[in-house]
Amino acid sequence: MTTRTHVHEESFPVDATRLFALLHTPSAIRGWWGASRVIVMAERGGLWAATWGESEDDPDYVTVATIRDFEPPHRMVLDDHRYRAKSGPLPFTAEFVTEFLIMPHADGCSLRATQTGFPAGSEADAHYAACQTGWRETFAGIRRFLDDR
């Protein structure tokens, strides 16, 4: 299956250790991503899960992934993504992989999120576009979270 990739990268005025911690610390993830609940087993082979919605027993949206690679403070890779939404399943089959890469530089560090596995067909166009917007909003949330600290 032909797939496409989305990459989003921005610089932040913090060190790599602090930025990396934001990617796997549940209270931080709730702060910058607006999730209702987050569980992370921060280790290779661990779990990364977040939910949104008022009801713990019937959330609006759930995303769960396996932490394939965990290399503090520079790299974390999530795969085996599973999604659940009240609105129903994704209208396509995909094997998403998300890599977070932190690269130090003189003024802090850059965070690059690379998400692969989007089907190239039109059935995934809306989800691909939503993810492009979502990554911009996610990075803005990280920036706000850091500014508030």
Side-chain angles (χ1 to χ4, degrees), residues 53-128:
E54 293 296 317
S55 174
E56 183 174 29
D57 296 325
D58 188 25
D60 296 334
Y61 186 74
V62 176
T63 183
V64 179
T66 299
I67 301 173
R68 185 181 78 196
D69 298 311
F70 190 75
E71 303 165 11
H74 300 293
R75 185 170 174 265
M76 181 170 67
V77 178
L78 307 176
D79 71 357
D80 190 26
H81 289 265
R82 288 149 302 198
Y83 298 98
R84 177 191 171 275
K86 279 188 178 181
S87 61
L90 293 173
F92 54 84
T93 300
E95 293 184 17
F96 292 118
V97 175
T98 306
E99 178 186 51
F100 295 100
L101 185 62
I102 296 174
M103 299 153 293
H105 54 69
D107 299 324
C109 56
S110 294
L111 172 61
R112 179 185 303 150
T114 303
Q115 189 173 18
T116 62
F118 293 93
S122 61
E123 72 278 6
D125 285 350
H127 188 74
Y128 184 78

Side-chain angles (χ1 to χ4, degrees), residues 20-40:
F20 189 81
L22 295 181
L23 301 175
H24 64 82
T25 303
S27 59
I29 295 165
R30 284 194 318 272
W32 57 259
W33 210 13
S36 303
R37 289 153 203 85
V38 176
I39 298 170
V40 178

